[in-house]
Amino acid sequence: MYSGNAEFTEGEMKYLKLLSNQYKNTNSAATEVINLKAILNLPKGTEHFVSDIHGELESFRHVLRNASGVIKDLIDEVFGTSLRVSEKKTLATLIYYPEMKLKHVREQEDELEDWYRITLHRLVIIAKIGASKYTRSKVRKALPQEFAYIMEELIHSNDGVNKEMYYNEIINTIIDLGQADRFIAALGNLIQRLAIDRLHVIGDIYDRGPDAAAIMDILAAYHSVDIQWGNHDLAWMGAAAGCQALICNVLRIQTRYANHDTIEEDYGINLIPLATFAMETYKDDPCTEFAPKGMDNPMSDKDFDMIAKMHKAISIMQWKMESKIIKRRPEFHMEDRMLLDKINFETGMVTIDGVEHPMLDMNFPTINPENPYELTPEEQEVMDKIKFSFVNSARLQEHIRVLYAKGSMYTIWNSNLLYHGGIPMNPDGTLKVVTFRGQKYSGKEYFDEVERTAREGYFGYPHSESKRECLDLMWYFWCGADSPLFGKQKMTTFERYFVADKTTHKELRNPYYDLRNDESVCNRIMEAFGLNPSYSHIVNGHVPVKVSKGEDPIKGNGKLFVIDGGFAKAYQKVTGIAGYTLIFNSHGMVLVSHEPFVSTEAAVSEEMDIHSSTVAYQYAQKRIRVKNTDIGKKLKESIADLEKLVYAYQKGIIKEQ
């Protein structure tokens, strides 16, 4: 209880009077103090970290539903050896996909009422355990409205024999009234909801896979989530804000992976102008170097040919649009990325870094050798129409606003530092000082300025020079040498399409990606962001962990976790796995690796859960309580304020209402 003197400052008095409007008397303020102090001693909620989802909806949705093994572990903990392995698998699948699994059960189960009765009892037990680390108030907010009262009665039942008949009758009536399926589905979804208190997405929701829009719908509705922007996310953010170079880049990647549904079906962006232009301009060109990659579904020769032509058309337009930024912003020092004027159209050679290389393709009907970076009138018309579609797509803009509302360049949560890319560093392990918009920054200050710029690029005053500068910088964040999201000296997109010599494809990484293996470097980064290295960690995405080549996802003697292991199918041949996720619960941290996900249908009909393995764990010496978390710090501040209010009431300094 507050034991200070009665002399409150003017600011404290103003705040306490405002607080008294919510807690109008001694009793209400004291009751809230009791409630908050009790909450401080609850176990810390479970945090779930995922990264580099890249449009892979089925894999992401499954990892979200099974909470990276948390629910399976909970079933083992509750039922131990009292259930067979097959029964546990069925129960887990029912929780993950209740509606779909119930359909299978109804087709196969002979004694359905008994199955309902047994299953409902088991699900209620699991829900009880899941709810036990939260307050009743928090659980109540998570309950589905249609069954809220009944579920609350069942979940918080602890009266033993006195109410046994009462609870059994609830379950019997649910079955008799034909509500068992709906109630089981509601319980399954509730258990999923209670399994994870906070979701952290460490960047790159977009590109490569086909379902980024559906993933954004999930994240928009998720109960508690933060997003650390990835370079692919920022490219879409810039495209949605009207940056033409990034619009071209987004479309190039979508055509590269034959992923037009996200653009056309999900976001309603009209690609007919691009398709028509490409088919006319490159009608006799096989566009061999632009053939789409990584397709899951077969397509007709006609569609394959059209996408290859669209891919080439938008790529040429991208390099032209990028040149305008490079010329406009000499401070980017990216003149070496202007290569269209380095092509010798007579010899078929291109000069890169002073060395001539033969071109793999020399059919450029839209490039004027005298002025190679000028858009043709037809290209300009296509560009104008596509930009209009991007900036006026209601669903795209809605999703981008979710990225801005729930996202940031980095997050500090419960003493852990979360970011997607890397910290620009010098070879000696010191933080690199970057000149940015005329000022010098490093570490946290640089990240803060990058974030502010990205926000102004989207929300800034239309058509202003400041907004245009910010949009140019958003393109730089995609591919610039000192971008904390890209992290390489240059992006060799042109070379990968047109030059056979693979030495020209190499993209040298910022020293950070090697130096993060050093514990002292990790400590230096954490200190730069105001964290205590003795108990803090860094959670990082962006660069896939090449497990197949022996790379370890744990860096810096356990101080840094890299959790990009390959959600994207395009990465899995390189990584050898299908991604890492991280769990941080009241017992400590657990890093989990996942095998590739087969399909939702296999998960339901064959009960094929993702095979996951614990890679590493760091257990806490004492169970972590809410009082040890960031939320706990805020609650302690609230308690201190309320105790002052109680004191003010008791001393007559403030009148009760």
Side-chain angles (χ1 to χ4, degrees):
M1 187 54 67
Y2 178 70
S3 58
N5 58 52
E7 295 296 324
F8 294 118
T9 66
E10 183 180 348
E12 285 177 319
M13 281 299 299
K14 186 178 291 186
Y15 176 72
L16 290 175
K17 285 178 180 178
L18 286 172
L19 195 60
S20 70
N21 291 326
Q22 184 176 357
Y23 302 97
K24 299 181 183 298
N25 52 52
T26 303
N27 289 343
S28 63
T31 299
E32 184 65 4
V33 169
I34 294 166
N35 176 46
L36 296 181
K37 283 194 172 183
I39 291 172
L40 289 176
N41 291 285
L42 286 171
K44 170 194 171 300
T46 299
E47 298 172 57
H48 193 189
F49 302 75
V50 301
S51 180
D52 295 83
I53 304 163
H54 283 301
E56 297 292 348
L57 174 64
E58 283 200 304
S59 298
F60 170 68
R61 187 165 53 194
H62 188 80
V63 165
L64 212 58
R65 287 174 181 265
N66 79 354
S68 289
V70 168
I71 290 174
K72 188 162 55 177
D73 291 344
L74 180 59
I75 292 170
D76 282 334
E77 177 188 331
V78 172
F79 295 106
T81 57
S82 65
L83 291 184
R84 292 174 295 178
V85 172
S86 60
E87 291 176 306
K88 292 178 185 177
K89 287 176 67 176
T90 299
L91 193 56
T93 305
L94 184 66
I95 292 169
Y96 306 157
Y97 303 100
E99 293 89 352
M100 295 175 68
K101 188 60 181 175
L102 280 165
K103 182 181 177 183
H104 284 260
V105 170
R106 287 195 301 271
E107 293 170 352
Q108 298 170 2
E109 185 60 52
D110 295 327
E111 298 179 356
L112 194 58
E113 283 198 11
D114 284 345
W115 183 88
Y116 278 143
R117 193 169 289 106
I118 293 167
T119 301
L120 281 166
H121 277 287
R122 288 173 178 171
L123 290 174
V124 168
I125 292 170
I126 296 169
K128 278 185 182 182
I129 301 299
S132 64
K133 60 184 178 182
Y134 302 116
T135 64
R136 281 201 180 202
S137 174
K138 188 165 185 173
V139 173
R140 191 177 296 123
K141 291 173 184 175
L143 296 175
Q145 190 172 359
E146 58 181 343
F147 294 123
Y149 174 75
I150 299 170
M151 281 191 179
E152 189 167 10
E153 285 288 288
L154 292 171
I155 289 171
H156 296 296
S157 64
N158 56 2
D159 296 308
V161 70
N162 292 329
K163 285 191 175 179
E164 185 176 351
M165 290 180 64
Y166 169 72
Y167 297 123
N168 286 338
E169 189 57 33
I170 290 176
I171 288 177
N172 289 336
T173 305
I174 289 169
I175 297 168
D176 291 342
L177 293 175
Q179 299 298 303
D181 282 5
R182 291 174 63 233
F183 200 78
I184 286 171
L187 275 172
N189 291 326
L190 175 66
I191 291 166
Q192 291 181 44
R193 162 68 180 80
L194 296 174
I196 299 300
D197 192 41
R198 181 80 174 185
L199 175 66
H200 305 287
V201 180
I202 320 292
D204 276 0
I205 298 159
Y206 280 91
D207 290 338
R208 298 196 173 91
D211 294 307
I215 292 168
M216 285 303 303
D217 285 338
I218 291 172
L219 296 178
Y222 202 78
H223 60 272
S224 181
V225 62
D226 54 71
I227 300 166
Q228 290 70 60
W229 300 328
N231 52 322
H232 288 269
D233 305 321
L234 205 80
W236 278 79
M237 290 156 66
C243 176
Q244 295 180 10
L246 287 175
I247 289 172
C248 292
N249 178 71
V250 162
L251 291 178
R252 178 184 62 80
I253 293 174
Q254 300 311 297
T255 52
R256 181 177 177 82
Y257 292 95
N259 179 19
H260 286 185
D261 284 351
T262 299
I263 296 289
E264 295 182 294
E265 300 298 325
D266 295 331
Y267 289 138
I269 292 170
N270 184 9
L271 292 183
I272 292 175
L274 175 62
T276 303
F277 167 76
M279 293 299 287
E280 291 176 355
T281 305
Y282 298 97
K283 60 184 176 182
D284 298 322
D285 186 344
C287 298
T288 305
E289 301 305 322
F290 295 86
K293 302 178 183 296
M295 296 179 298
D296 288 334
N297 301 315
M299 66 172 62
S300 68
D301 291 344
K302 182 179 179 181
D303 286 344
F304 189 92
D305 182 59
M306 180 181 69
I307 291 173
K309 287 173 168 47
M310 291 171 68
H311 186 185
K312 183 172 183 178
I314 201 65
S315 297
I316 301 300
M317 290 169 65
Q318 177 182 331
W319 292 313
K320 289 183 177 184
M321 297 310 304
E322 289 178 342
S323 74
K324 297 180 185 300
I325 298 176
I326 294 169
K327 290 176 181 178
R328 197 158 56 230
R329 308 293 173 194
E331 66 270 22
F332 290 177
H333 304 293
M334 294 180 69
E335 292 77 10
D336 66 329
R337 294 296 81 211
M338 294 177 60
L339 295 171
L340 297 185
D341 62 328
K342 309 299 188 301
I343 300 171
N344 187 320
F345 286 83
E346 295 180 359
T347 64
M349 305 290 281
V350 61
T351 302
I352 300 173
D353 295 331
V355 179
E356 283 195 329
H357 301 272
M359 292 279 288
L360 295 172
D361 181 350
M362 281 298 296
N363 184 32
F364 299 116
T366 67
I367 296 180
N368 174 6
E370 301 301 319
N371 189 2
Y373 297 110
E374 182 181 22
L375 290 176
T376 66
E378 294 79 12
E379 285 177 319
Q380 187 66 61
E381 183 180 0
V382 170
M383 188 73 254
D384 292 343
K385 289 179 178 178
I386 291 176
K387 177 181 175 180
F388 180 86
S389 288
F390 263 83
V391 299
N392 289 285
S393 167
R395 193 176 180 207
L396 173 60
Q397 298 300 330
E398 177 187 334
H399 284 170
I400 296 305
R401 285 179 177 268
V402 170
L403 284 176
Y404 276 105
K406 298 179 183 290
S408 55
M409 281 294 296
Y410 67 94
T411 295
I412 296 173
W413 195 269
N414 289 333
S415 298
N416 294 315
L417 174 60
L418 288 49
Y419 54 78
H420 176 76
I423 313 294
M425 302 194 83
N426 298 310
D428 64 358
T430 57
L431 303 186
K432 184 176 182 179
V433 176
V434 178
T435 301
F436 183 75
R437 303 185 78 175
Q439 302 294 321
K440 295 185 180 298
Y441 303 99
S442 66
K444 179 180 180 298
E445 289 73 24
Y446 181 40
F447 271 56
D448 289 337
E449 285 302 310
V450 168
E451 178 170 333
R452 192 191 68 75
T453 299
R455 293 188 183 279
E456 186 181 351
Y458 187 80
F459 294 105
Y461 190 78
H463 313 302
S464 66
E465 176 54 36
S466 179
K467 182 180 175 76
R468 185 166 79 160
E469 180 189 13
C470 290
L471 287 178
D472 289 351
L473 282 161
M474 290 180 79
W475 172 78
Y476 180 85
F477 301 151
W478 162 252
C479 59
D482 285 327
S483 165
L485 293 173
F486 177 50
K488 298 177 183 178
Q489 288 186 7
K490 62 183 177 181
M491 187 176 286
T492 58
T493 307
F494 179 94
E495 290 90 331
R496 291 169 186 268
Y497 283 109
F498 292 118
V499 180
D501 183 355
K502 290 190 176 182
T503 61
T504 66
H505 302 180
K506 192 170 181 61
E507 298 174 343
L508 295 176
R509 301 191 303 188
N510 185 276
Y512 164 83
Y513 292 97
D514 293 320
L515 292 169
R516 65 184 178 177
N517 289 297
D518 187 330
E519 182 178 3
S520 65
V521 170
C522 293
N523 291 344
R524 187 175 299 126
I525 292 169
M526 287 186 276
E527 288 169 350
F529 281 81
L531 293 171
N532 186 334
S534 63
Y535 52 78
S536 297
H537 298 84
I538 297 169
V539 186
N540 202 179
H542 187 45
V543 178
V545 179
K546 297 177 181 178
V547 178
S548 58
K549 296 185 178 180
E551 186 179 356
D552 193 338
I554 303 170
K555 314 287 186 182
N557 194 26
K559 293 296 179 70
L560 187 150
F561 296 95
V562 182
I563 62 169
D564 178 8
F567 257 114
K569 293 174 183 176
Y571 285 155
Q572 290 172 9
K573 291 180 181 178
V574 177
T575 62
I577 62 167
Y580 289 102
T581 55
L582 183 68
I583 293 293
F584 182 25
N585 58 28
S586 60
H587 298 289
M589 292 183 133
V590 182
L591 184 65
V592 182
S593 69
H594 304 282
E595 296 299 319
F597 182 61
V598 178
S599 69
T600 299
E601 180 55 38
V604 175
S605 60
E606 302 173 41
E607 298 179 347
M608 291 179 62
D609 202 348
I610 288 182
H611 179 70
S612 304
S613 305
T614 297
V615 176
Y617 55 83
Q618 292 185 9
Y619 286 137
Q621 292 182 342
K622 292 182 180 180
R623 196 169 189 190
I624 306 169
R625 304 284 173 180
V626 171
K627 62 186 175 185
N628 308 121
T629 68
D630 292 343
I631 291 173
K633 291 176 185 176
K634 293 178 182 177
L635 292 180
K636 289 175 185 176
E637 291 172 2
S638 297
I639 289 168
D641 291 334
L642 285 163
E643 287 180 338
K644 288 180 182 179
L645 181 60
V646 170
Y647 179 89
Y649 280 142
Q650 291 174 338
K651 294 294 184 180
I653 300 169
I654 293 178
K655 287 195 305 181
E656 291 190 350
Q657 299 181 43

